[in-house]
Amino acid sequence: MPGKQLLMTFPVTATSHTLADYRARGGYATLAKALRELQPEDVTKEVTTAGLLGHGGAAFSAGRKWSVVHLNDGQPHYLCANADEGEPGTFKDRWILEHAPHLLLESMLIASGVSVRKALSSAAYPPRAR
């Protein structure tokens, strides 16, 4: 049974990738809620309950994967978003980076428990996506 589309429901415009447009669509509100009301374990429970799946071949439960990471263990943790689409004809990640980069950033901030050290970008993308 198909689900309801929750993301990418906005009209794509010349400014839809900007911080101002993202915030006008309610962007970063979920991050603010997570920072105000949730502990990292609570975020993992929300992801597990939502049934969010990875996009790898196995469609592994994201919540289950996150549950093995303990952000409060005093060790450094690294989160990587691999958007380098080296396979011909794969442009799903490029679309997100070009039209909704703040969606990716907000998601990574929530997933990482807001412990960001460095962000990298690929030169394969146009300047506005970097």
Side-chain angles (χ1 to χ4, degrees):
M1 173 169 58
K4 178 182 177 187
Q5 183 172 345
L6 300 174
L7 301 174
M8 314 306 182
T9 58
F10 58 91
V12 175
T13 67
T15 60
S16 60
H17 67 286
T18 65
L19 175 59
D21 276 28
Y22 186 67
R23 297 212 42 149
R25 294 190 303 267
Y28 292 105
T30 303
L31 175 61
K33 177 183 177 183
L35 291 173
R36 242 187 357 262
E37 302 173 17
L38 303 174
Q39 296 297 315
E41 301 81 26
D42 300 324
V43 174
T44 300
K45 287 177 190 172
E46 292 280 338
V47 169
T48 302
T49 301
L52 184 65
L53 301 176
H55 283 195
F60 197 75
S61 164
R64 188 167 169 207
K65 189 180 290 188
W66 289 13
S67 69
V68 300
V69 177
H70 301 284
L71 295 175
N72 298 328
D73 64 1
Q75 300 295 315
H77 299 277
Y78 301 93
L79 176 64
C80 176
N82 182 0
D84 187 35
E85 297 171 323
E87 298 176 24
T90 58
F91 295 111
K92 64 178 176 32
D93 298 331
R94 170 177 244 158
W95 194 95
I96 293 170
L97 291 176
E98 288 182 357
H99 302 292
H102 289 280
L103 178 63
L104 176 65
L105 292 172
E106 181 177 22
S107 301
M108 290 182 73
L109 289 168
I110 292 168
S112 70
V114 194
S115 177
V116 176
R117 301 278 190 274
K118 186 183 286 189
L120 301 174
S121 174
S122 171
Y125 291 104
R128 85 172 190 183
R130 282 189 237 146

